[in-house]
Amino acid sequence: MRLGMIGCLAGFVVMGFLTYRGWHIAISSLAGSAVVVLFNSLSVTSAYLESYLPGMGGFLSTYFGQFLFGALLAEMYSSTGAGLTVALGISGFFIRDSLSPGQKRKMVIFVLIIISAALEFAGVGASLIVMVIYPVALSLFQLANIPKRYIVAGVLGGCLGFGNDLPGSPQPGNTIPMNILGTSSAAGLIPGLIGAAAEIFTMVFLLDAVIGRGVRRGEEFHPETDLDRELDEGKERPAMWKALLPVAVLFVLFNIAGFDINISLAVTSIFCTAIFYPYFPERDVKTVAARGITQGTVATVSICAVIGFSSVVQGTEAFQRIVESLVGLRVNPYLLLILCVAFMCMLCGGSATGQAIALPIIGPVVEAAGVSANAIHRIASFAGAILDTMPYAGTVVMAHAYAKVEIKEGYPAVFVISVVATTISTLVVTFISALFPMLVG
């Protein structure tokens, strides 16, 4: 049995290592599955046909539409310049020349976090957000003379944290608990909003402290030799009000009208196509749609591959023993929920897959201990972001590569805003939910 447990953990390590080394996640997940099968003396054909493929298919049928139309919407925001309009509008509102260097640095951090969170709330995925706001971030960092190695932390601050976990968010961090627990998108509204505010404050405070230490050591902003991704302010883009209309439509459909997230995103994508049509490059909707659908399919298949691997792991007796050990921990049920969700998201390298695996197992246990489904939903949403940004996580690797920042240079700041800050916000949400259950809803 001990050998089987080692095999389950080794499978996660192999999958993470191969992914970090550039192998496609589908291949990495199959390699990890092979390790699990070998150490647990399972039948290769049974594991593949009865666990891996059905696990992939189950997740695909549930979430394909969400990832597909989410990616399509993101591509339209990127290609038409609507995302850039939102980014420039927000940054222009907050940042003034009269600010002191220290105030300007704090405001740049705050603005980037808010921009990325706003785009995340609009249905744009984290990978696309990096591409959309990187030129804005580059200009703002130059304006405030912030060393460039901190730019990835600034860009990822909102989209890998509370923007994915907020009540009402159309992102998987909020919708997966809905599907598993049968809760609404606004479950745990008040604790969620307070937790988000605590996370924003903590991110700005901690990242400013980290950057300030670097500045005192003499670090400055040094641009790349090829600034081919500078702002193109001459390109015609939708006005601010028009760029925000699809966000309003998505919010109304999903949070007020109560439509399924798949339908909400599909209708919003159609609306977005109509209102942004004049701004499509050469008015070529077909090419933009093809890119978005391709990205959505790739993202879905990648996550499904991890779910397939996890299904193989879940089919082992060793995994059941690991779960029993976790569930059997004599700790507060709120803490048990955080530990299980965060641990699984760390192993999977993403909050979507980690929550999809952990919640069906730990949710009923914690609910039986007296924690409401709404509290489980919101705490799990925040807890899923604590450890899902390990150096091997796909978005983290991609963001560093896109910004031309080595992971060893940029990741310490990412750790501060994506692990330390999200841990604090999760604890805030948990304390409020535990001490004031009437506020959870």
Side-chain angles (χ1 to χ4, degrees):
M1 182 58 62
R2 183 172 297 177
L3 186 63
M5 292 182 180
I6 294 173
C8 289
L9 295 177
F12 279 107
V13 172
V14 168
M15 182 177 66
F17 175 77
L18 291 178
T19 303
Y20 183 76
R21 297 294 297 176
W23 288 86
H24 191 278
I25 187 62
I27 302 298
S28 303
S29 67
L30 287 171
S33 298
V35 172
V36 174
V37 168
L38 177 64
F39 276 74
N40 286 271
S41 301
L42 301 177
S43 165
V44 175
T45 55
S46 296
Y48 181 63
L49 297 176
E50 298 175 13
S51 296
Y52 186 89
L53 292 180
M56 288 187 68
F59 190 88
L60 181 69
S61 64
T62 303
Y63 297 104
F64 179 69
Q66 182 175 342
F67 283 96
L68 177 69
F69 287 108
L72 181 59
L73 190 62
E75 181 60 37
M76 286 191 284
Y77 261 86
S78 178
S79 298
T80 62
L84 191 56
T85 293
V86 175
L88 290 173
I90 294 176
S91 62
F93 180 81
F94 285 101
I95 299 177
R96 298 285 186 269
D97 293 333
S98 58
L99 297 176
S100 68
Q103 292 173 328
K104 192 172 292 186
R105 188 171 64 226
K106 291 183 180 67
M107 195 57 68
V108 165
I109 298 169
F110 173 76
V111 164
L112 286 177
I113 291 172
I114 295 301
I115 291 172
S116 58
L119 292 175
E120 183 87 2
F121 204 83
V124 182
S127 298
L128 264 295
I129 289 173
V130 172
M131 301 177 193
V132 169
I133 71 172
Y134 177 80
V136 180
L138 197 66
S139 295
L140 293 179
F141 266 52
Q142 187 169 15
L143 175 69
N145 196 27
I146 299 175
K148 186 173 178 283
R149 72 189 184 99
Y150 303 108
I151 198 168
V152 179
V155 170
L156 294 181
C159 59
L160 290 186
F162 68 94
N164 192 40
D165 314 327
L166 271 172
S169 172
Q171 297 294 343
N174 184 49
T175 60
I176 286 178
M178 288 175 58
N179 294 330
I180 295 173
L181 301 171
T183 48
S184 71
S185 66
L189 175 64
I190 295 177
L193 293 177
I194 297 174
E199 189 169 316
I200 294 172
F201 175 82
T202 307
M203 283 181 175
V204 173
F205 176 80
L206 292 178
L207 189 53
D208 178 65
V210 171
I211 294 173
R213 187 172 61 179
V215 170
R216 287 190 294 273
R217 289 197 303 261
E219 296 181 32
E220 295 180 332
F221 177 85
H222 293 291
E224 298 295 333
T225 54
D226 58 322
L227 292 180
D228 56 328
R229 286 173 289 186
E230 286 185 314
L231 293 178
D232 180 10
E233 301 205 42
K235 177 184 175 182
E236 185 181 9
R237 300 188 308 271
M240 187 67 166
W241 66 269
K242 189 177 289 188
L244 291 175
L245 267 182
V247 180
V249 169
L250 179 59
F251 181 84
V252 170
L253 291 175
F254 181 52
N255 291 289
I256 298 178
F259 283 93
D260 180 86
I261 184 59
N262 296 281
I263 302 301
S264 300
L265 285 169
V267 172
T268 303
S269 296
I270 295 172
F271 176 81
C272 200
T273 302
I275 197 170
F276 290 167
Y277 178 74
Y279 310 99
F280 279 89
E282 300 179 359
R283 299 194 176 183
D284 186 0
V285 178
K286 181 173 64 176
T287 300
V288 172
R291 282 201 303 266
I293 290 172
T294 299
Q295 290 166 352
T297 303
V298 170
T300 309
V301 169
S302 296
I303 294 178
C304 286
V306 178
I307 293 293
F309 163 79
S310 301
S311 298
V312 174
V313 174
Q314 289 180 64
T316 66
E317 187 177 344
F319 179 79
Q320 300 306 318
R321 190 65 60 87
I322 293 173
V323 171
E324 290 172 5
S325 299
L326 284 173
V327 172
L329 290 174
R330 295 184 178 278
V331 297
N332 182 280
Y334 290 97
L335 180 59
L336 179 64
L337 174 64
I338 295 173
L339 290 174
C340 289
V341 172
F343 179 72
M344 197 61 68
C345 291
M346 178 192 71
L347 292 179
C348 296
S351 60
T353 48
Q355 286 189 76
I357 296 167
L359 279 177
I361 298 170
I362 195 62
V365 176
V366 176
E367 193 166 7
V371 182
S372 70
N374 285 341
I376 295 172
H377 176 150
R378 193 53 52 205
I379 294 170
S381 291
F382 275 78
I386 293 177
L387 297 175
D388 72 331
T389 52
M390 294 295 99
Y392 55 77
T395 302
V396 173
V397 174
M398 184 280 294
H400 280 86
Y402 192 80
K404 296 183 180 179
V405 174
E406 293 186 16
I407 290 182
K408 65 181 180 181
E409 293 291 325
Y411 186 74
V414 174
F415 181 88
V416 167
I417 59 97
S418 67
V419 177
V420 178
T422 50
T423 298
I424 292 173
S425 64
T426 301
L427 292 176
V428 169
V429 172
T430 303
F431 283 136
I432 295 173
S433 300
L435 297 177
F436 307 100
M438 73 289 297
L439 297 179
V440 177

